[in-house]
């Protein structure tokens, strides 16, 4: 294993130290492994909290800041954080208007946030609403699975709903918007290589040089299918088609993210976006906003994912609203 | 009446379980690499290390306190799916145990059953979903049956451990319907479920301790 | 070779197509492989042009936009662009106040820009000034080498000098500032792995699992020394010490960049920055601004580099000025 | 007078050089991987392909036009260090060649010498810097000497090609002082210089063509 780390057991603590050192507008609670805004938002505004396993950076700590999240709870690599972290973050971030928990749909994340909600309600009396994102079309949403994974849409949702909370909308309205966004977006990912979990010390799976995984999530797990390695044009088709087959994106403008899994250089991500854009245009999807880069990653995995979100004037307005975070920044 | 279990035996059980998951850490992670995200070994080792640290600073004098403390420590130190599940298991054991300093077979069986019910309440797993349930459920059924036949606790625990390991092995052909492995669909078949493997260790260590300790 | 590409020969053209599709505020000249601002800056302002081989993204195309570059010429992967590209960019970007060529010190880049300058002066009569960046302390600046490589400082220089040009300073003042910045910054890089040039099809060099390269540039070339793999703390020391030994950074505030080589995930870059920050603090360096991420990369190489720049109030003011590019964005 | 070289022979030389750098592309890149950035093969192949495409659309009728067109095409299609260097080499050859349709030995030698001077003017290389100069300089010296001895052009070109290859091989132990390889310091020793290898091909293909064409 070749990584820029010290002790594999200390990766999370050491990385949090770096985030704290790099961002004076963030405050890091090292005991509870929570990243907060250094200056909390105004009283009376809904607070947004997210969290999950580490290894997906900039998600979630990189999205804490004006116009986006109020706090992010960091779990061990690929392991959801614990209820006490979320409960603490909920108590601290609450500005008296309630807190929205943004949870990616994984059994562990859901159960830990559930327990946190139970604790928070009983103990601190903070009003908590929860959105569970589940946008990954690689997984059938049926009683035969744990349901669709929460992936790329989580990033777009944190930005858009964060802007709405900043506007002062109440918890009910913020939750309703979050549900609308989650229902309006779909994602699909692929991997050229596995990734290496520091504590495991070797790649999670072996992938021959002439094969790739289609339908991977963001935890280095194998995907739905292992298929022969193909060119960018063919890969783009294998990602875009299932998305468009699952939901209609031709009725209005859309926001598209070409996301890198962490180990693929930007030149390849732009190249992939070029192929994706051609397919979307052919399909009659009007792309109003675009993100190309590493936003929700899987450690050092080489690969990418595509996320498409149905937008409208309100959503585009919220998208364009100022955001000041490590991972997304504009308008201020 | 087929024997009693002192509190020390229960603590020893946790100690032994900690040793096992630590030694089997790479194996559990290997299983989780095939159909999960390669962290089950680290999760269990971290959690049980936290549990033993906690017990060193404050060893409860009653079973309910003991198991509640174990459950809470797992919930707050593990995360992932196994944290809430094993955490709830021990929390529920604590709630049913009562403020006793020793167990008889029936009390232990009741506590374990309550723990399993907690796992089901939390995770909604059913038989054949390819989860820890598939190791624990047959184990507790076998334990109850053996005790009912008047089998001594230690022997009954042996039977339970055997059933847990059989249940673990039986997860291999299954297609997962719960947890991460379910994302793999058909590809999840042909691998043991990591959680069923750690649960088999939980039952085996219980049997080993009881065979030693029970008077 | 596993990459998100089509034909290895078409990587540059395909990537430019993606950049054009992703950024409506950029205009791409595909024939000459030049990235321009869609809306040129006002007449009478000095234009900034840079360029170099591809494979360093976001550098340079990702730094074209308000407050930074006016145009970027893209060469083949790791091959500097040609004089005709730079001459074309110079003619098109000139707003009547002259053009600054920002060149990284590599024999090829320097010679091609030289020829471009000769052509531009003779043919289009545009006034051209040139800054050649050479901040890499891994290379001895002597008659025994081609001189120090231009690396991380190039990014900071394009931002700071871009802000000065936006202010309306004349070419002489812009060049003077560029020379001041180049003289005030130093960098040092390392690699955990080699990178794979698409047209070559395999890693440029082999690096055993237990070794790393210290003192690498940004072209996948081997470094100054091959040493045993070490932890982040030790790596940080091997990068920071030669920088601090080469120039004093304790007299005023400084700007620090922890740059990823392209294949290292953000969690590792933050972890590295945490170690670097500790060393800088111990050495009495006061860090006023920080960048952590992939800014000047070497394709899919795993590794990182550290850049430290002596700043002052003027430089910090220019640093904080609005910038709107794909790679750096704030204040607008 | 020791033979004349028709324009076709010069075109054939470029054709052959193109074939060689294309066939040796992987080899040249291999050399550049060891002490450079793994693109010399791609650069030379791309450049000479552009040259031949250009010549197909418009074949100049005089040596000066021919070499200027070759030089300009290399300058605008290669980039890197080799683009300006080989480009300047041919541009300078063109400037000295004059509007002639054929060369004699002295004229060719003068043109080549002017080309080398151009490379030096552009890159400031000196003998032993571990660059293409170390293949070209000895080659042109040998060419001049042979012609002075009255050796026929073709034979003189053979001698020059041999000298170029000897010069290329002599770069192996050298520590580079120019170009990317110089960044490696001592580590650059023990490898052939990629540019000296492509230059050796340039001289060898010249010799091969002349042995065929010169009357
Ligand atoms: N819904 C569930 N009910 C019961 N057990 C489950 C459920 N989901 C997952 N598990 C168990 O959890 C194990 C995985 O634990 P672990 O790897 O530590 O967490 P994670 O899956 O979050 O990485 C699985 O092998 C399975 O036995
Ligand atoms: N200053 C110089 N003078 C003469 N030849 C040089 C000089 N610098 C580099 N070269 C030659 O250029 C070759 C490298 O060419 P190439 O790899 O195509 O360009 P780059 O080094 O820009 O990648 C070297 O092997 C060397 O022979
Ligand atoms: Mg996990
Ligand atoms: Mg797991
Ligand atoms: Mg090059
Ligand atoms: Mg080269």
């Amino acid at each position: 294993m070749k990584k820029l780390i010290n002790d594999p057991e200390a990766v999370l603590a050491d990385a949090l130290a770096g985030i704290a050192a790099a961002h004076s507008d963030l405050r890091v609670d090292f005991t509870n492994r929570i990243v907060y805004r250094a200056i909390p938002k105004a009283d009376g505004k809904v607070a947004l909290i997210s969290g999950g396993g580490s290894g997906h950076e900039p998600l979630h700590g990189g999205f804490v800041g004006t116009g986006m999240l109020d706090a992010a709870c960091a779990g061990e690599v690929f392991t959801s954080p614990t209820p006490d972290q979320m409960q603490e973050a909920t108590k601290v971030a609450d500005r008296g208007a309630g807190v929205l928990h943004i949870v990616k749909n994984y059994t562990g994340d859901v159960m830990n946030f559930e327990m946190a909600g139970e604790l928070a309600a009983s103990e601190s009396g903070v009003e908590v609403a929860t959105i569970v994102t589940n946008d990954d079309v690689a997984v059938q949403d049926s009683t035969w699975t744990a349901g669709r994974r929460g992936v790329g849409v989580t990033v777009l949702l944190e930005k858009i709903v964060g802007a709405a909370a900043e506007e002062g909308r109440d918890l009910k309205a913020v939750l309703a918007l979050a549900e609308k966004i989650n229902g309006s977006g779909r994602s699909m990912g692929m991997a050229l290589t596995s990734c290496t979990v520091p504590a495991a010390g070797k790649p999670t799976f072996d992938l021959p040089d002439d094969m790739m995984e289609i339908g991977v999530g963001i935890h280095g797990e194998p995907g739905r299918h292992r298929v022969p390695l193909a060119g960018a044009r063919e890969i783009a088709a294998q990602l875009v088609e299932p998305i468009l087959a699952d939901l209609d994106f031709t009725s209005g403008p859309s926001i598209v993210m070409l996301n890198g899994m962490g180990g693929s250089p930007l030149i390849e991500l732009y190249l992939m976006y070029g192929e994706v854009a051609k397919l979307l245009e052919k399909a009659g999807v009007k792309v109003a906003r675009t993100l190309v880069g590493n936003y929700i990653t899987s450690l050092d995995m080489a690969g990418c994912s595509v996320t498409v979100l149905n937008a409208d004037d309100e959503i585009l307005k919220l998208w364009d609203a100022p955001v000041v975070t490590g991972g997304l920044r504009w308008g201020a | 009446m087929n024997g009693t279990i002192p509190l020390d035996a229960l603590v020893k059980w946790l100690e032994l379980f900690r040793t096992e998951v630590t030694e089997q850490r790479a194996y559990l992670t290997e299983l989780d690499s095939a159909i999960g995200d390669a962290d089950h070994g680290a999760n269990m080792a971290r959690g049980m290390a936290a549990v033993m640290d906690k017990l060193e600073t404050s060893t409860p004098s009653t079973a309910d306190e003991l198991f509640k403390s174990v459950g809470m420590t797992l919930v707050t130190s593990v995360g992932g799916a196994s944290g809430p599940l094993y955490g709830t298991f021990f929390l529920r054991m604590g709630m049913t145990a009562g403020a006793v300093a020793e167990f008889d077979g029936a009390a232990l069986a009741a506590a374990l059953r309550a723990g399993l019910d907690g796992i089901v309440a939390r995770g909604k797993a059913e038989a054949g979903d390819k989860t820890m349930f598939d190791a624990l459920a047959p184990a507790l059924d076998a334990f109850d049956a053996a005790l009912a036949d008047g089998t001594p606790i230690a022997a009954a625990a042996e039977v339970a451990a055997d059933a847990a390991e059989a249940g673990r092995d039986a997860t291999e052909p299954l297609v997962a319907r719960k947890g991460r492995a379910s994302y793999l669909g058909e590809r999840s078949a042909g691998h043991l479920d990591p959680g069923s493997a750690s649960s088999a260790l939980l039952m085996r260590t219980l049997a080993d301790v009881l065979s030693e300790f029970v008077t």
Side-chain angles (χ1 to χ4, degrees), chain A residues 77-80, chain B residues 32 37 39 43 80 180:
Chain A
V77 170
F78 292 169
T79 304
S80 87
Chain B
D32 199 31
D37 58 352
D39 63 357
N43 290 346
R180 277 176 202 299

Side-chain angles (χ1 to χ4, degrees), chain A residues 9 76-84 105-109 111-112 114-115 118-119 139 143-147 149 197 199-200 202 204 213 219-226, chain B residues 25 29-30 32-39 42-43 46 72 74-85 88 91 122-123 176-180 182-187:
Chain A
E9 303 298 312
E76 291 293 329
V77 170
F78 292 169
T79 304
S80 87
T82 55
D84 51 311
N105 187 39
Y106 299 96
T107 304
D109 296 63
M111 292 192 301
N112 282 280
E114 258 171 27
M115 291 182 104
E118 291 159 19
L119 290 165
V139 180
T143 54
W144 300 81
T145 70
R149 295 175 288 226
V197 175
K202 53 187 173 59
T204 301
E213 291 274 340
H219 296 86
E221 62 275 76
R224 291 312 299 255
H225 318 284
R226 177 167 294 192
Chain B
R25 178 192 167 129
T29 287
E30 194 63 43
D32 199 31
S33 299
I35 57 173
D37 58 352
D39 63 357
N43 290 346
R46 185 176 63 253
M72 243 321 160
L74 288 176
V75 166
T76 56
S77 65
V78 177
S82 50
L85 291 166
T88 303
L91 283 171
R122 201 36 87 195
R177 286 188 301 239
K178 287 278 185 301
R180 277 176 202 299
S182 69
Y183 303 140
L184 291 177
E186 298 296 327
R187 289 180 81 181

Side-chain angles (χ1 to χ4, degrees), chain A residues 22-229:
Chain A
H23 299 289
S24 55
D25 54 353
L26 295 178
R27 178 174 69 80
V28 177
D29 171 347
F30 293 98
T31 318
N32 294 298
R33 296 170 164 185
I34 303 170
V35 176
Y36 295 102
R37 301 184 188 188
I39 301 162
K41 66 167 43 139
D43 282 351
K45 289 185 177 184
V46 171
L48 266 57
I49 292 181
S50 191
S54 294
H56 309 304
E57 293 66 24
L59 188 90
H60 292 280
F63 296 137
V64 173
T66 307
M68 217 159 163
L69 300 178
D70 294 271
C73 304
E76 291 293 329
V77 170
F78 292 169
T79 304
S80 87
T82 55
D84 51 311
Q85 290 176 271
M86 297 148 185
Q87 187 202 0
E88 170 71 13
T90 304
K91 272 191 300 190
V92 173
D94 178 46
R95 290 276 149 279
V99 175
L100 179 69
H101 284 179
I102 300 171
V103 186
K104 302 188 295 304
N105 187 39
Y106 299 96
T107 304
D109 296 63
V110 169
M111 292 192 301
N112 282 280
F113 266 100
E114 258 171 27
M115 291 182 104
E118 291 159 19
L119 290 165
S122 64
E123 292 187 16
S124 57
V126 176
E127 196 186 355
V128 173
T130 303
I131 178 73
V132 179
T133 60
N134 57 346
D135 54 302
D136 188 347
V137 298
V139 180
Q140 319 309 336
D141 190 0
S142 77
T143 54
W144 300 81
T145 70
R148 286 182 161 173
R149 295 175 288 226
V151 285
V153 160
T154 315
V155 176
L156 309 186
L157 185 149
E158 289 176 358
K159 165 64 184 92
I160 294 162
V161 177
E166 217 70 51
E167 272 185 357
R169 300 190 194 185
D170 66 18
L171 186 56
K172 201 161 142 299
V174 165
L175 176 61
L177 177 65
E179 281 162 348
K180 172 182 168 184
I181 301 295
N182 183 53
S184 312
R186 298 290 187 274
S187 301
M188 179 81 177
M190 61 78 59
L192 292 175
T193 69
S194 180
C195 61
T196 299
V197 175
K202 53 187 173 59
T204 301
F205 59 86
D206 300 318
L207 194 49
D209 283 353
D210 57 349
M211 302 296 277
M212 62 182 180
E213 291 274 340
I214 297 288
V216 299
I218 53 173
H219 296 86
E221 62 275 76
R224 291 312 299 255
H225 318 284
R226 177 167 294 192
V227 301
L229 187 62

Side-chain angles (χ1 to χ4, degrees), chain A residues 240 244 250 274-287:
Chain A
V240 170
L244 300 187
T250 60
E275 299 300 337
V276 167
K278 278 184 229 152
L279 294 175
L280 292 176
E281 176 163 23
K282 224 191 264 99
V285 178
K286 288 162 247 31
V287 181

Side-chain angles (χ1 to χ4, degrees), chain B residues 9-81:
Chain B
L10 300 173
V11 174
K12 184 92 184 102
W13 171 33
L14 298 164
E15 239 174 74
L16 206 60
F17 183 52
R18 183 260 176 98
T19 311
E20 276 303 306
V21 292
T22 308
E23 281 172 5
Q24 306 287 323
R25 178 192 167 129
Y27 165 68
L28 294 173
T29 287
E30 194 63 43
L31 294 179
D32 199 31
S33 299
I35 57 173
D37 58 352
D39 63 357
H40 189 54
N43 290 346
M44 296 307 295
R46 185 176 63 253
M48 288 311 296
V51 163
M52 296 321 295
D53 291 353
K54 185 80 197 310
L55 292 183
E56 260 162 37
T57 57
S58 68
T59 324
S61 55
T62 56
D64 56 351
E65 290 311 317
L66 173 67
F67 288 124
K68 280 183 198 160
S69 149
V70 170
M72 243 321 160
T73 307
L74 288 176
V75 166
T76 56
S77 65
V78 177

Side-chain angles (χ1 to χ4, degrees), chain B:
Chain B
M1 156 68 156
N2 40 26
T4 64
I5 310 158
L7 201 65
D8 309 358
L10 300 173
V11 174
K12 184 92 184 102
W13 171 33
L14 298 164
E15 239 174 74
L16 206 60
F17 183 52
R18 183 260 176 98
T19 311
E20 276 303 306
V21 292
T22 308
E23 281 172 5
Q24 306 287 323
R25 178 192 167 129
Y27 165 68
L28 294 173
T29 287
E30 194 63 43
L31 294 179
D32 199 31
S33 299
I35 57 173
D37 58 352
D39 63 357
H40 189 54
N43 290 346
M44 296 307 295
R46 185 176 63 253
M48 288 311 296
V51 163
M52 296 321 295
D53 291 353
K54 185 80 197 310
L55 292 183
E56 260 162 37
T57 57
S58 68
T59 324
S61 55
T62 56
D64 56 351
E65 290 311 317
L66 173 67
F67 288 124
K68 280 183 198 160
S69 149
V70 170
M72 243 321 160
T73 307
L74 288 176
V75 166
T76 56
S77 65
V78 177
S82 50
L85 291 166
Y86 277 110
T88 303
F89 177 83
F90 284 106
L91 283 171
R92 294 291 185 95
M93 277 187 82
M95 291 183 205
T96 2
V100 298
E102 59 176 34
F103 269 164
D104 64 10
L108 175 59
L112 290 168
R113 177 66 60 184
L116 178 59
D117 293 347
I119 288 180
V120 172
R122 201 36 87 195
K124 315 272 175 306
E126 294 169 14
D129 283 353
K130 193 171 184 133
T131 72
M132 52 178 67
F133 178 93
D134 294 324
L136 292 173
L140 299 198
D141 293 346
F143 193 51
D144 293 344
L147 292 175
D149 299 350
T151 317
I153 299 183
E158 286 292 330
V159 178
D162 296 344
E165 286 161 4
R168 171 201 64 202
D169 298 343
T171 64
E172 181 162 349
L174 299 175
V175 172
R177 286 188 301 239
K178 287 278 185 301
R180 277 176 202 299
S182 69
Y183 303 140
L184 291 177
E186 298 296 327
R187 289 180 81 181
S188 63
H191 304 276
L192 291 184
D193 172 62
S196 71
S198 52
S199 288
L201 293 175
L202 184 70
M203 296 311 295
R204 175 59 61 196
T205 49
L206 177 63
D208 293 348
V209 166
L210 295 189
S211 65
E212 218 180 295
F213 270 73
V214 180
T215 53

